[in-house]
């Protein structure tokens, strides 16, 4: 979570601070506004909201994929996977340009460590589409 600007940026920036300080043993962390603090309930609420958002997006994508394969008889799972990835990258860039979110650039040493996880995720998506 490295949101730095936009409409929801103060919440996420504060969450970053809270998570960093919690690792150090502190209970509260300062937000971008030096006069306010972020409490554990806000951190917990944002974590729950993120989890539900992820679950909703995942479920929606699974149901959409199943509809494409069964109802519309579109039998090209790799093409759907590529389209969804392109759509996600474009959407993130649009949100970034609209100052709704920002994200750090790609660090290739970290990306290399995550390659096995991403490959297993892609395999899970592909096997799920054939189920």
């Amino acid at each position: 979570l490295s949101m730095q600007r936009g409409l929801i940026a103060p919440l996420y920036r504060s969450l970053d601070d809270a998570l960093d300080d919690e690792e150090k043993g502190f209970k509260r962390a300062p937000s971008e506004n030096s006069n306010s603090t972020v409490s554990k309930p806000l951190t917990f609420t944002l974590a729950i909201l993120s989890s539900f958002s992820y679950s909703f997006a995942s479920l929606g994508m699974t149901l959409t994929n199943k509809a494409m394969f069964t109802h519309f008889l579109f039998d090209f799972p790799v093409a759907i996977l590529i389209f969804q990835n392109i759509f996600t990258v474009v959407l993130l860039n649009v949100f970034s340009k609209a100052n709704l979110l920002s994200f750090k650039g790609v660090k290739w040493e970290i990306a290399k460590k995550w390659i096995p996880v991403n490959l297993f995720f892609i395999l899970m998506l592909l096997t799920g589409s054939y189920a």
Side-chain angles (χ1 to χ4, degrees):
L1 297 174
S2 61
M3 305 285 196
Q4 297 170 348
R5 58 185 176 179
L7 298 175
I8 57 174
L11 291 177
Y12 282 102
R13 183 64 239 148
S14 298
L15 181 59
D16 270 349
D17 292 341
L19 293 176
D20 289 343
D21 284 351
E22 279 184 16
E23 291 173 359
K24 297 174 190 169
F26 297 114
K27 298 229 184 233
R28 300 176 76 86
S31 67
E32 283 186 1
N33 300 336
S34 59
N35 297 334
S36 64
T37 58
V38 174
S39 64
K40 278 190 168 186
L42 178 60
T43 303
F44 180 74
T45 302
L46 288 174
I48 294 297
L49 180 64
S50 297
S51 297
F52 278 120
S53 298
Y54 176 80
S55 298
F56 180 74
S58 180
L59 180 63
M61 189 169 64
T62 301
L63 293 175
T64 301
N65 289 349
K66 284 296 183 184
M68 291 294 290
F69 297 136
T70 57
H71 184 67
F72 298 110
L73 302 174
F74 186 80
D75 196 24
F76 301 101
V78 175
I80 289 177
L81 184 63
I82 291 170
F83 173 74
Q84 288 170 343
N85 285 319
I86 291 170
F87 179 77
T88 301
V89 169
V90 169
L91 192 65
L92 287 173
N93 283 316
V94 167
F95 283 173
S96 177
K97 298 260 189 267
N99 288 330
L100 295 174
L101 66 88
S102 67
F103 45 88
K104 293 180 182 179
V106 175
K107 294 182 181 177
W108 290 108
E109 58 274 357
I110 294 173
K112 289 177 189 175
K113 292 178 183 178
W114 279 92
I115 286 175
V117 175
N118 289 323
L119 290 176
F120 281 115
F121 179 71
I122 291 169
L123 284 173
M124 180 200 68
L125 291 176
L126 287 174
T127 56
S129 67
Y130 289 114

